Amino acid sequence: MSRIVRVAARGEGVSDDGRFAPLAAPGDWLAEDGSVTPGPHHQAPPCRHFPTCGGCQLQHLDAASYAAFCTDRVAGALAAQGLESVIRAPALSPPRTRRRASLHYERGRLGFSMAGSHQLVDLAECHVLAPALFALVAPLKRLLARLAPKRRVEIRLTLADQGVDVLLLGVAAEGLAAAEALTDFAQAQGLARLSLDAGLGPETRWEPAAVTVTLGGVAVPLPPAAFLQATPEGEAALVAGVRAALGEAPLVADLFAGLGTFAFALEARVHAAEAARDAVLALKTAAGRARRPVEAEHRDLYRRPLHGAELDRFAAVVLDPPRAGAREQAAALAASRVPVIAYVSCNPSSFARDVKILCEQGYRLDWVQPVGQFIWSTHVELVGRLSRG
């Protein structure tokens, strides 16, 4: 028999003789026939849908081995680029704290897709969704069964300041009966907003008060389906990491700023650049109302990264790109004189690739803070601090 020593990036256990075993935890024993004998870090999965549901891949890991997985994901990505750094203890979000999720409905089933399949798991319980989101699963099933959509419906749920924001994609809901059903549902469930998107963009059907999300103490208008950090605890950990990285920098560029998660959390003058028009307008509105020293620029940083004199005037930069990373902006930063960069990433691999570009031009990676806000998934986020030597 061989022993499982770590968990690979896709969630399989890896033995000391190089074999892979699904649903194995560090300390498990792997027999020659592929059977697994649980060890001290193999816990009983809390959810009846595991491992069928694709929403979680690692519920069989205890807290210590899941934290080690998050650290290993970061260390492995850095090592693949010939890099290393101080890796701090991961900040993990608790169960049932996910405030943003995308589910699907089809033929009477509502939930996440099965692992490796488009078939849906009909959710009877969920240990990652915030209770306010999970409470809508059964009512949404009844509503959608009544509306009888002809194709699969995507359901995006976000917990806003005023309650749950619901966006249904693939639902037209034409006619008086459908309109009344939507209004009755939204009112009965106390929704903050209900919107439909049949393919031409979101159309709001219910919004008794303007929907906002509070970021850094500022109420920011929340466009339908706008990006928001998945859990409040994850957001707090990322914000704390950025603050620690930047110190008291008086003038900061927040690149890929979104709605202003970091811009409003900093005690500095901030230039926020973002490509999503709705997010820029929301950020500008919130900054104006709160009289915060944040200016927003509508800018595609893939096609038009900040460079040269645009960058050199800043004491620090926050970089928070999508999963693909920010190769073009990283190259521009590498040629700049910006003294400190806080790089927030949802993909350790693209992070490490971009960091290598920066380190080859004189930056050093001081430390990395892993953040596991998608608990029991293989998705790991992080904040890294880079500085010029």
Side-chain angles (χ1 to χ4, degrees):
M1 296 182 73
S2 56
R3 191 174 187 184
I4 301 297
V5 293
R6 65 183 181 88
V7 178
R10 295 185 178 180
E12 309 98 327
V14 183
S15 67
D16 51 14
D17 59 359
R19 290 189 292 157
F20 287 74
L23 304 178
D28 290 354
W29 293 96
L30 178 62
E32 292 299 321
D33 64 0
S35 61
V36 173
T37 300
H41 295 291
H42 196 126
Q43 72 171 9
C47 181
R48 75 182 78 175
H49 298 302
F50 183 82
T52 305
C53 177
C56 297
Q57 298 88 38
L58 301 174
Q59 282 194 11
H60 61 291
L61 301 186
D62 67 4
S65 55
Y66 179 65
F69 167 79
C70 294
T71 299
D72 289 347
R73 282 281 286 117
V74 175
L78 292 176
Q81 297 291 343
L83 302 170
E84 61 181 15
S85 182
V86 173
I87 301 177
R88 297 178 168 181
L92 306 180
S93 293
R96 294 187 172 92
T97 56
R98 184 87 62 82
R99 62 178 176 183
R100 173 177 61 83
S102 178
L103 308 176
H104 288 85
Y105 172 87
E106 188 174 33
R107 299 176 183 175
R109 290 176 171 266
L110 194 155
F112 296 105
S113 294
M114 292 184 180
S117 169
H118 291 293
Q119 188 174 348
L120 295 180
V121 172
D122 197 24
L123 284 185
E125 63 178 305
C126 184
H127 292 254
V128 297
L129 294 180
L133 300 190
F134 182 74
L136 288 173
V137 168
L140 277 166
K141 282 177 63 176
R142 293 191 294 268
L143 171 69
L144 291 167
R146 181 176 176 182
L147 296 177
K150 296 181 180 179
R151 56 192 177 105
R152 177 178 286 217
V153 175
E154 181 181 356
I155 305 159
R156 296 185 185 177
L157 305 175
T158 304
L159 189 55
D161 293 337
Q162 293 76 20
V164 182
D165 179 23
V166 178
L167 173 62
L168 304 178
L169 294 94
V171 176
E174 299 175 351
L176 179 60
E180 290 179 341
L182 291 169
T183 299
D184 291 345
F185 169 79
Q187 190 168 18
Q189 301 304 320
L191 298 186
R193 178 170 57 203
L194 175 61
S195 306
L196 308 183
D197 187 346
L200 298 176
E203 175 192 352
T204 298
R205 296 292 189 95
W206 171 267
E207 188 178 13
V211 177
T212 61
V213 59
T214 297
L215 301 172
V218 177
V220 182
L222 181 66
F227 175 80
L228 190 65
Q229 294 295 338
T231 70
E233 294 82 0
E235 178 186 295
L238 293 171
V239 166
V242 168
R243 284 175 169 166
L246 301 190
E248 298 180 357
L251 181 60
V252 177
D254 184 3
L255 308 182
F256 303 94
L259 295 172
T261 299
F262 304 111
F264 290 123
L266 300 175
E267 295 182 3
R269 289 172 52 214
V270 180
H271 177 86
E274 168 59 43
R277 189 180 300 275
D278 286 350
V280 171
L281 292 174
L283 200 159
K284 283 184 176 180
T285 299
R289 289 175 178 171
R291 297 183 179 180
R292 297 290 291 271
V294 176
E295 62 177 19
E297 177 187 9
H298 181 226
R299 183 162 178 167
D300 185 339
L301 294 168
Y302 288 108
R303 296 183 179 182
R304 294 178 55 233
L306 270 70
H307 56 83
E310 291 181 291
L311 288 171
D312 289 344
R313 68 191 182 97
F314 295 108
V317 166
V318 180
L319 192 62
D320 182 19
R323 287 189 61 79
R327 189 195 301 267
E328 297 81 4
Q329 187 61 74
L333 280 163
S336 78
R337 296 196 298 269
V338 174
V340 177
I341 301 169
Y343 193 143
V344 181
S345 175
C346 57
N347 183 349
S349 296
S350 61
F351 166 80
R353 179 204 67 204
D354 294 347
V355 166
K356 183 177 182 180
I357 294 172
L358 291 158
C359 289
E360 287 175 341
Q361 297 300 320
Y363 281 94
R364 66 172 179 266
L365 182 59
D366 298 316
W367 50 258
V368 181
Q369 170 68 68
V371 177
Q373 62 176 325
F374 291 85
I375 188 171
W376 298 316
S377 82
T378 57
H379 186 85
V380 178
E381 306 198 349
L382 59 88
V383 180
R385 184 184 193 271
L386 295 108
S387 61
R388 283 219 175 266

